Amino acid sequence: MASLEFARLKTESRTRWLLISPALLVVIIGAIAPLLVIVIYSFLTPGPTGGVNFTPSFEAWTRVLFDRDLFDDTVTLSGTNLEILLRSLLLSLVTTLLCLLAGFPTAYFIATRNPLNREVWLLLVTVPFWTNLLIRTFAIQDLIRNEGIINTLLLKAGLISEPIQMLFTNFAICLGLVYVYLPLMILPVYASLERLDRNLLEAASDLYARPFKVLWEVIVPLAQPGIVAGSILVFIPAIGTYVTPILLGGGRKLMIGNYIELQFGQGRDWPFGSALSLTLMGIVMVALLVYIRHGDTHGHEHG
């Protein structure tokens, strides 16, 4: 009997592995193998016309934060790389904050409508996703360029004497990122607020809590899972964005995604590009760990 049971378990185990093998194959070929290649490339030296030479080196990782002098071989902090990294982090964080400030009241407004109207408002929120990212970015460009709609209206109204330079600035990039990723904040926050027990709000009001106190101590804590999820959904694509800084920053305000492409393209320095890619992945991993930690803490508090 024991041998029959062992044979049955072995057969079931083999069947499970056969069933999941296609998914494992896709993960290995589509995710693990390319990542492994990038990891290996980051520890090699660049080829003369692109690619890599299979000579082990830590130079690519050193260059992420440091510059080596060509004459005396001294190492100093890389102002350019640090500026690009800090700009990417700052713009991503500001984008996330602005999306939260605009998305939370929007989500609350939708969640407090009657069910029929909610569907209409949610449809309007998702409409931008029906349009290609390039078209949406060009639309923002047309709004804020010197001859664009905003400057034209301000000039005709006599509020300004000359066009305001908005295009090709950090402001333009941030505006484009907020416009593109705002729905990714609204939807998860709405999902949390939709399940909000209205009796809690009535109880807080009955206890003479002011509206701001109800918002800060009742609504926001209960919406925390949606806020954290929305922040992650906005921050991760924002920090690795490529199209928006090119079109709205004019190539003058590079973010880390543009810098990585530059290394694999014109720079032909694949090891350095690989090291930058892994650095970006590390930043994203830290953001995900923060999300997981906050999610676990929230789960224990309400468990």
Side-chain angles (χ1 to χ4, degrees):
M1 290 295 293
S3 60
L4 289 175
E5 182 66 17
F6 177 76
R8 186 182 66 82
L9 292 174
K10 189 175 181 180
T11 302
E12 289 180 356
S13 177
R14 187 183 298 113
T15 303
R16 291 194 196 97
W17 279 106
L18 287 174
L19 289 173
I20 67 173
S21 58
L24 286 175
L25 190 62
V26 169
V27 170
I28 292 171
I29 295 176
I32 296 177
L35 179 60
L36 184 61
V37 170
I38 292 297
V39 171
I40 294 172
Y41 278 6
S42 69
F43 292 101
L44 300 177
T45 56
T49 57
V52 295
N53 284 330
F54 286 87
T55 305
S57 173
F58 288 95
E59 185 65 23
W61 283 102
T62 303
R63 289 179 54 201
V64 171
L65 295 177
F66 301 97
D67 282 331
R68 191 181 298 276
D69 193 277
L70 294 175
F71 300 102
D72 57 13
D73 210 34
T74 56
V75 175
T76 57
L77 280 173
S78 175
T80 301
N81 294 355
L82 286 175
E83 180 184 355
I84 292 172
L85 285 170
L86 290 175
R87 180 187 297 122
S88 301
L89 278 171
L90 182 60
L91 286 177
S92 302
L93 290 171
V94 171
T95 297
T96 303
L97 179 60
L98 292 177
C99 283
L100 178 58
L101 292 176
F104 188 91
T106 303
Y108 183 78
F109 171 81
I110 297 174
T112 53
R113 303 304 96 186
N114 65 63
L116 182 60
N117 288 339
R118 287 181 198 174
E119 300 298 328
V120 175
W121 286 109
L122 286 174
L123 178 65
L124 293 176
V125 167
T126 58
V127 162
F129 284 123
W130 300 0
T131 309
N132 185 274
L133 174 61
L134 279 172
I135 297 174
R136 285 182 281 160
T137 307
F138 277 124
I140 292 292
Q141 191 179 65
D142 194 54
L143 279 175
I144 63 177
R145 62 191 176 92
N146 286 357
E147 301 80 17
I149 297 173
I150 293 177
N151 273 316
T152 300
L153 291 175
L154 291 175
L155 286 169
K156 287 185 176 181
L159 297 176
I160 57 174
S161 57
E162 58 182 20
I164 301 173
Q165 180 61 45
M166 293 181 283
L167 195 58
F168 308 142
T169 63
N170 288 331
F171 164 78
I173 297 173
C174 194
L175 178 64
L177 291 176
V178 170
Y179 172 64
V180 169
Y181 297 121
L182 180 58
L184 297 181
M185 178 66 76
I186 294 175
L187 295 177
V189 173
Y190 164 78
S192 291
L193 292 175
E194 185 190 22
R195 299 190 296 267
L196 186 64
D197 188 352
R198 301 293 184 272
N199 293 325
L200 295 174
L201 305 184
E202 294 178 5
S205 298
D206 292 341
L207 294 172
Y208 304 104
R210 294 186 177 182
F212 180 78
K213 195 173 185 66
V214 174
L215 171 67
W216 190 251
E217 297 191 4
V218 179
I219 299 175
V220 170
L222 292 174
Q224 183 182 350
I227 293 173
V228 176
S231 299
I232 293 297
L233 288 174
V234 171
F235 177 80
I236 289 177
I239 195 171
T241 189
Y242 172 77
V243 172
T244 304
I246 288 293
L247 295 181
L248 299 182
R252 305 175 188 175
K253 305 292 183 180
L254 293 179
M255 291 180 67
I256 189 169
N258 310 115
Y259 200 39
I260 291 170
E261 186 277 334
L262 189 64
Q263 305 311 315
F264 283 100
Q266 299 176 18
R268 297 181 179 180
D269 194 339
W270 290 18
F272 184 42
S274 299
L276 287 172
S277 301
L278 293 172
T279 301
L280 176 59
M281 190 180 75
I283 296 172
V284 171
M285 287 293 293
V286 170
L288 289 174
L289 288 174
V290 170
Y291 167 64
I292 293 171
R293 183 176 178 182
H294 275 265
D296 289 343
T297 302
H298 186 272
H300 288 314
E301 288 176 352
H302 293 82

